[in-house]
Amino acid sequence: MHISDGVLSAPVSIGGYAVAIGISALSVRKMRMEDVPKVSVITAVFFVTSLIHIPIGPTSVHLILNGLAGVVLGWSAFVSIFFGLILQSILLQYGGITAIGVNACIMGLPAFVAYGIFRLRLIARFRYREAVFGAMAGAVAVLLAAVLLAVALITAGEEFLSIAKLAVLAHIPVIIVEG
């Protein structure tokens, strides 16, 4: 679920960087020093799981784990995902340097939603609430990431509309697995 260099227009790429850097600054501000090892481990898990690609039709998908990052890290999830994407782009050539900001927003913003969904378990009063809200957080995070990916691709032009639809459909199994 990475947008490559050259797909997005310059204003979209620059806007993505501006939003990603702004949210990262807020995320780092809220992070405590004792959270750094936990953020590092989740970043490593996020990075490593992207290496396992599963072919689906003409494309392939991989686990995203942005919901897990949101549930475990809360506000620090965005920084974890942002740095994981930087490493993926530089070391593995996944995505592109110009698209890192947009890719971080595509995967990082749903992590915040997952965090919010998982916090709802605190007001619920039933036996398996952690499992239910954890599953919803994981599934919704991937679904939102797929939708944001589709929206970003559509900004690149109408020729990307069919790819945007395919990207969302290809991630249905990932939504189920991560849920």
Side-chain angles (χ1 to χ4, degrees):
M1 187 180 287
H2 302 272
I3 297 176
S4 299
D5 281 334
V7 172
L8 302 173
S9 66
V12 172
S13 292
I14 292 167
Y17 265 109
V19 171
I21 290 169
I23 294 173
S24 291
L26 283 171
S27 186
V28 167
R29 239 175 126 190
K30 291 181 178 268
M31 191 180 348
R32 301 173 312 195
M33 280 307 284
E34 52 271 8
D35 290 338
V36 172
K38 186 168 52 170
V39 171
S40 300
V41 168
I42 295 296
T43 303
V45 170
F46 175 80
F47 176 82
V48 169
T49 57
S50 70
L51 298 172
I52 305 164
H53 286 259
I54 301 158
I56 296 183
T59 187
S60 67
V61 297
H62 61 81
L63 293 177
I64 299 166
L65 301 183
N66 58 344
L68 175 69
V71 165
V72 173
L73 300 177
W75 286 101
S76 301
F78 197 91
V79 158
S80 172
I81 291 168
F82 194 22
F83 281 112
L85 289 171
I86 290 169
L87 290 172
Q88 288 173 356
S89 181
I90 292 170
L91 299 175
L92 306 173
Q93 285 75 49
Y94 290 174
I97 300 294
T98 62
I100 290 174
V102 172
N103 286 332
C105 292
I106 287 169
M107 292 185 225
L109 293 174
F112 290 145
V113 174
Y115 173 63
I117 290 171
F118 192 66
R119 288 189 48 85
L120 291 175
R121 83 193 187 290
L122 300 173
I123 60 173
R125 298 285 173 227
F126 56 92
R127 188 170 182 171
Y128 299 106
R129 65 182 181 259
E130 284 83 11
V132 170
F133 285 101
M136 286 192 315
V140 168
V142 177
L143 174 63
L144 285 176
V147 169
L148 289 174
L149 172 67
V151 169
L153 287 172
I154 292 169
T155 67
E158 207 157 307
E159 59 273 11
F160 287 99
L161 183 59
S162 61
I163 295 169
K165 290 177 186 176
L166 178 63
V168 173
L169 290 174
H171 281 86
I172 290 173
V174 179
I175 293 167
I176 294 166
V177 168
E178 290 203 28

